[in-house]
Amino acid sequence: MKILSLFDGMSVARQALENSKHIVERYYASEIDPYAIAVSESNWKDIIHIGDVKNVAKEGGIEYYDIMKGDIDLIIGGSPCQDLSIAKKDRKGLDGERSGLFWEYIRILKEVKPKYFILENVNSMPKEAKELITKTLGVEPIMINASLVSAQNRKRLFWTNIPNVTQPPD
């Protein structure tokens, strides 16, 4: 599989793909945090780091021609939640500086046209934001609480066009 991971962090998605026995042929990672990139690079020598999501897939941007060949199988991403989460007072939602990066995810999704996509974000977002994301992506989200698979109690929404994705067993 050829993967484009947006807001990649320390490439946990790469580990999840490996754990689920998916063969990763190429893994592009868009991330700007130097500490997350350092962890990613120490674990995975073959990841292609492509920098800021704002430059991905734009003509003249890093790896533009490689990514735009139309052979990306899966785009994975979880745009920043700070402007959506109830933990932030005076949140600006999808108009905020951080959570507004969701629109970069959408731009890239439209330009790259992968076979599949997964978008993750907080369950505690305002109803209007959830409805807008759902309408924009054309699929209903699945709420998964991380407590089903880890020691964390964190409810997250996942939007995907991968068929037959359901709640994991506890």
Side-chain angles (χ1 to χ4, degrees):
M1 291 182 76
K2 295 173 195 117
I3 311 298
L4 173 56
S5 178
L6 306 175
F7 320 103
D8 187 59
M10 55 186 198
S11 303
V12 175
R14 174 65 186 266
Q15 185 65 53
L17 289 162
E18 295 286 328
N19 290 354
S20 62
K21 308 290 186 232
H22 287 85
I23 297 170
V24 177
E25 182 181 331
R26 245 182 301 145
Y27 188 99
Y28 296 95
S30 174
E31 179 55 59
I32 60 170
D33 182 279
Y35 299 107
I37 293 168
V39 171
S40 174
E41 287 177 338
S42 71
N43 290 321
W44 306 100
K45 305 296 182 210
D46 62 337
I47 289 179
I48 303 163
H49 291 276
I50 58 174
D52 193 332
V53 71
K54 294 175 191 168
N55 296 323
V56 172
K58 285 188 175 175
E59 191 159 356
I62 299 170
E63 302 291 341
Y64 170 78
Y65 294 103
D66 230 14
I67 291 172
M68 294 304 290
K69 286 179 187 173
D71 64 349
I72 296 293
D73 298 302
L74 173 64
I75 289 182
I76 300 171
S79 55
C81 67
Q82 289 90 335
D83 299 311
L84 292 169
S85 174
I86 59 172
K88 183 173 182 178
K89 194 174 185 178
D90 301 323
R91 57 188 173 177
K92 293 182 171 48
L94 294 174
D95 294 327
E97 184 179 333
R98 291 179 170 182
S99 296
L101 290 172
F102 161 75
W103 299 110
E104 289 294 326
Y105 180 98
I106 296 301
R107 175 189 61 79
I108 294 164
L109 189 64
K110 289 178 179 177
E111 290 176 13
V112 175
K113 298 177 179 83
K115 186 173 183 180
Y116 300 111
F117 68 84
I118 300 172
L119 175 77
E120 172 272 336
N121 217 303
V122 294
N123 185 55
S124 65
M125 70 176 63
K127 180 182 174 190
E128 299 79 25
K130 178 181 171 184
E131 289 173 353
L132 181 57
I133 293 170
T134 298
K135 181 179 177 188
T136 303
L137 290 172
V139 296
E140 289 292 326
I142 300 163
M143 194 283 292
I144 299 175
N145 191 333
S147 68
L148 294 175
V149 294
S150 74
Q152 293 282 323
N153 184 22
R154 302 180 85 185
K155 294 179 180 176
R156 294 291 185 258
L157 296 174
F158 292 84
W159 289 264
T160 186
N161 66 340
I162 299 172
N164 305 315
V165 173
T166 59
Q167 185 80 242
D170 192 343

Coordinates of all heavy atoms in Angstrom, one line a residue, residues 55-90:
N55 N 1.7 22.5 2.1 CA 2.4 22.4 0.9 C 2.2 21.1 0.2 O 2.7 20.9 -1.0 CB 3.9 22.6 1.1 CG 4.2 24.0 1.6 OD1 3.6 25.0 1.2 ND2 5.1 24.1 2.6
V56 N 1.5 20.2 0.8 CA 1.4 18.8 0.2 C 0.5 18.9 -1.0 O -0.6 19.5 -1.0 CB 0.8 17.8 1.3 CG1 0.4 16.5 0.6 CG2 1.8 17.6 2.4
A57 N 0.9 18.2 -2.1 CA 0.2 18.1 -3.3 C -0.1 19.4 -4.1 O -0.7 19.4 -5.1 CB -1.2 17.4 -3.1
K58 N 0.5 20.5 -3.6 CA 0.4 21.7 -4.4 C 1.6 21.7 -5.4 O 2.7 21.3 -5.2 CB 0.6 22.9 -3.5 CG -0.6 23.2 -2.6 CD -0.5 24.5 -1.9 CE -1.8 24.9 -1.2 NZ -1.6 26.1 -0.4
E59 N 1.3 22.2 -6.6 CA 2.3 22.3 -7.6 C 3.5 23.1 -7.1 O 3.3 24.1 -6.5 CB 1.7 23.0 -8.9 CG 2.7 22.8 -10.0 CD 2.0 23.0 -11.4 OE1 0.8 23.2 -11.4 OE2 2.7 23.0 -12.4
G60 N 4.6 22.5 -7.3 CA 5.9 23.1 -6.7 C 6.1 22.6 -5.3 O 7.2 22.9 -4.8
G61 N 5.2 22.0 -4.6 CA 5.4 21.5 -3.3 C 6.2 20.3 -3.3 O 6.4 19.6 -4.3
I62 N 6.7 19.9 -2.1 CA 7.5 18.7 -1.9 C 6.8 17.5 -2.4 O 5.6 17.3 -2.0 CB 8.0 18.6 -0.5 CG1 8.8 19.8 0.0 CG2 8.8 17.3 -0.2 CD1 9.1 19.9 1.4
E63 N 7.4 16.7 -3.1 CA 6.9 15.4 -3.6 C 5.6 15.5 -4.4 O 4.8 14.6 -4.5 CB 6.6 14.4 -2.4 CG 7.8 14.1 -1.5 CD 8.9 13.3 -2.3 OE1 8.5 12.6 -3.3 OE2 10.0 13.3 -1.8
Y64 N 5.4 16.7 -4.9 CA 4.2 17.0 -5.7 C 3.9 15.9 -6.8 O 2.9 15.3 -6.8 CB 4.2 18.3 -6.3 CG 3.1 18.6 -7.3 CD1 1.8 18.9 -6.8 CD2 3.3 18.5 -8.7 CE1 0.7 19.1 -7.7 CE2 2.2 18.7 -9.5 CZ 1.0 19.0 -9.1 OH -0.1 19.2 -9.9
Y65 N 4.9 15.7 -7.6 CA 4.7 14.8 -8.8 C 4.5 13.4 -8.4 O 3.7 12.6 -8.9 CB 5.8 15.0 -9.8 CG 5.7 16.4 -10.4 CD1 6.6 17.4 -10.0 CD2 4.7 16.7 -11.3 CE1 6.5 18.7 -10.6 CE2 4.6 18.0 -11.8 CZ 5.5 19.0 -11.5 OH 5.4 20.2 -12.0
D66 N 5.3 12.9 -7.4 CA 5.2 11.6 -6.9 C 3.8 11.3 -6.3 O 3.1 10.3 -6.6 CB 6.2 11.3 -5.8 CG 7.0 10.1 -6.1 OD1 6.9 9.5 -7.2 OD2 7.7 9.6 -5.1
I67 N 3.3 12.2 -5.5 CA 2.0 12.0 -4.8 C 0.9 12.1 -5.8 O -0.1 11.4 -5.8 CB 1.8 13.0 -3.7 CG1 2.8 12.6 -2.5 CG2 0.4 13.0 -3.2 CD1 2.8 13.6 -1.4
M68 N 1.0 13.0 -6.8 CA 0.0 13.3 -7.7 C -0.1 12.3 -8.9 O -0.9 12.5 -9.8 CB 0.1 14.7 -8.3 CG -0.1 15.8 -7.2 SD -1.7 15.7 -6.3 CE -2.8 16.2 -7.6
K69 N 0.7 11.3 -8.9 CA 0.6 10.2 -9.9 C -0.7 9.5 -9.8 O -1.0 8.7 -10.7 CB 1.8 9.3 -9.8 CG 3.1 9.8 -10.2 CD 4.1 8.7 -10.1 CE 5.5 9.3 -10.4 NZ 6.6 8.3 -10.0
G70 N -1.4 9.6 -8.7 CA -2.7 9.0 -8.6 C -2.6 7.6 -8.0 O -3.5 6.8 -8.2
D71 N -1.5 7.3 -7.4 CA -1.3 5.9 -6.9 C -1.3 5.8 -5.4 O -0.8 4.8 -4.9 CB -0.1 5.2 -7.5 CG 1.2 5.9 -7.2 OD1 1.2 7.0 -6.6 OD2 2.3 5.3 -7.4
I72 N -1.8 6.8 -4.7 CA -1.9 6.7 -3.2 C -3.1 5.9 -2.9 O -4.2 6.2 -3.4 CB -2.0 8.1 -2.6 CG1 -0.7 8.9 -2.8 CG2 -2.3 8.0 -1.1 CD1 0.5 8.4 -2.1
D73 N -2.9 4.8 -2.1 CA -4.0 4.0 -1.8 C -4.9 4.5 -0.6 O -6.1 4.3 -0.5 CB -3.5 2.6 -1.4 CG -2.8 1.9 -2.5 OD1 -3.4 1.7 -3.6 OD2 -1.6 1.6 -2.4
L74 N -4.2 5.2 0.4 CA -4.9 5.5 1.6 C -4.3 6.9 2.1 O -3.1 7.0 2.2 CB -4.7 4.5 2.7 CG -5.1 4.7 4.1 CD1 -6.7 4.9 4.1 CD2 -4.7 3.6 5.0
I75 N -5.2 7.8 2.4 CA -4.9 9.0 3.1 C -5.4 8.9 4.5 O -6.6 8.6 4.7 CB -5.4 10.3 2.4 CG1 -4.7 10.6 1.1 CG2 -5.3 11.5 3.4 CD1 -5.2 11.8 0.4
I76 N -4.5 9.0 5.5 CA -4.8 9.0 6.9 C -4.6 10.3 7.5 O -3.6 11.0 7.2 CB -3.9 7.9 7.6 CG1 -4.0 6.6 7.0 CG2 -4.2 7.9 9.1 CD1 -3.0 5.6 7.6
G77 N -5.4 10.8 8.4 CA -5.2 12.0 9.1 C -6.1 12.3 10.2 O -7.2 11.8 10.2
G78 N -5.6 13.1 11.1 CA -6.4 13.6 12.2 C -6.0 15.0 12.4 O -5.1 15.3 13.1
S79 N -6.8 15.9 11.8 CA -6.4 17.3 11.8 C -6.5 17.8 13.3 O -7.2 17.2 14.1 CB -7.4 18.2 10.9 OG -8.7 17.9 11.2
P80 N -5.8 18.9 13.6 CA -5.7 19.3 15.0 C -7.1 19.6 15.6 O -8.0 20.1 14.9 CB -4.9 20.6 14.9 CG -4.1 20.4 13.7 CD -4.9 19.7 12.8
C81 N -7.3 19.2 16.9 CA -8.6 19.3 17.5 C -8.8 20.5 18.4 O -9.8 20.7 19.0 CB -8.9 18.0 18.3 SG -7.8 17.9 19.8
Q82 N -7.7 21.3 18.6 CA -7.7 22.3 19.7 C -8.9 23.3 19.5 O -9.5 23.8 20.5 CB -6.4 23.1 19.7 CG -5.3 22.3 20.2 CD -4.5 21.6 19.1 OE1 -5.1 21.3 18.1 NE2 -3.2 21.3 19.4
D83 N -9.3 23.6 18.3 CA -10.4 24.6 18.1 C -11.8 23.9 18.1 O -12.8 24.6 18.0 CB -10.2 25.3 16.8 CG -8.9 26.2 16.8 OD1 -8.7 26.9 17.7 OD2 -8.2 26.0 15.8
L84 N -11.8 22.6 18.2 CA -13.0 21.8 18.2 C -13.4 21.3 19.6 O -14.5 21.1 20.0 CB -13.0 20.6 17.3 CG -12.9 21.0 15.8 CD1 -12.6 19.7 15.0 CD2 -14.2 21.6 15.3
S85 N -12.4 21.0 20.4 CA -12.5 20.3 21.7 C -13.2 21.1 22.7 O -13.0 22.3 22.8 CB -11.2 19.8 22.2 OG -11.3 19.3 23.5
I86 N -14.0 20.5 23.6 CA -14.7 21.2 24.7 C -13.6 21.6 25.7 O -13.9 22.4 26.6 CB -15.8 20.4 25.3 CG1 -15.2 19.1 25.9 CG2 -17.0 20.2 24.4 CD1 -16.2 18.3 26.7
A87 N -12.4 21.1 25.6 CA -11.4 21.5 26.6 C -10.9 22.9 26.3 O -10.2 23.5 27.2 CB -10.2 20.5 26.4
K88 N -11.2 23.5 25.2 CA -10.8 24.9 24.9 C -12.0 25.8 25.0 O -13.0 25.7 24.4 CB -10.2 24.9 23.5 CG -9.7 26.3 23.1 CD -9.0 26.4 21.8 CE -8.4 27.8 21.6 NZ -7.7 27.9 20.4
K89 N -11.7 26.9 25.8 CA -12.7 27.9 26.0 C -12.7 28.8 24.7 O -11.6 29.0 24.1 CB -12.4 28.7 27.2 CG -13.5 29.6 27.7 CD -13.1 30.3 29.0 CE -14.3 31.1 29.5 NZ -14.0 31.7 30.8
D90 N -13.8 29.3 24.3 CA -13.9 30.2 23.1 C -13.4 29.5 21.9 O -12.7 30.1 21.1 CB -13.2 31.5 23.4 CG -13.7 32.3 24.5 OD1 -14.9 32.3 24.8 OD2 -12.9 32.9 25.3

